[in-house]
Amino acid sequence: MQYLKKFFFTCFVILFCCNCYAKELNILVSITPIYSLVNNVTGNLQNVQLLIDKNMCPHHYQLRPSDVRKINNADMIITIGDGYETFLFNYLNKVNVVARI
């Protein structure tokens, strides 16, 4: 239930940002199911990118240099949580990201 609340809060923030910003947000989403939801909510208004391809396992995934570029260029990163995408949170802890959704 807690994840569902976070997801709806994130969707609200995305919709709010769509109306406030003149520029397109770069939203990075970790896995395919969340990518589908976010892409349907934002439509063509935002640039939504997928980090992990649907054929790859997020439990054993390792970041590539292209993934690091996507992370650094993202205005918002939407994930499941610390226990699921450990590779991502290990990297974010190293670069001291202040805000996470």
Side-chain angles (χ1 to χ4, degrees), residues 12-100:
F12 172 76
V13 169
I14 292 170
L15 290 174
F16 179 74
C17 291
C18 291
N19 294 326
C20 294
Y21 288 108
K23 76 169 197 143
E24 198 174 68
L25 286 177
N26 291 321
I27 301 172
L28 183 64
V29 182
S30 60
I31 60 173
T32 306
I34 297 176
Y35 172 78
S36 298
L37 293 170
V38 172
N39 204 21
N40 286 331
V41 169
T42 60
N44 294 333
L45 300 174
Q46 306 302 321
N47 180 22
V48 181
Q49 293 183 330
L50 179 63
L51 183 64
I52 302 173
D53 189 24
K54 65 180 178 180
N55 298 327
M56 297 181 179
C57 176
H59 298 289
H60 305 291
Y61 190 76
Q62 293 183 354
L63 289 174
R64 298 176 298 205
S66 61
D67 296 333
V68 173
R69 279 192 298 275
K70 285 181 185 178
I71 292 168
N72 292 335
N73 291 333
D75 296 320
M76 180 183 296
I77 301 172
I78 301 175
T79 64
I80 294 288
D82 292 350
Y84 194 72
E85 297 106 342
T86 55
F87 67 92
L88 182 59
F89 288 97
N90 289 339
Y91 174 76
L92 293 177
N93 287 333
K94 287 179 187 176
V95 294
N96 295 324
V97 172
V98 177
R100 290 189 218 166

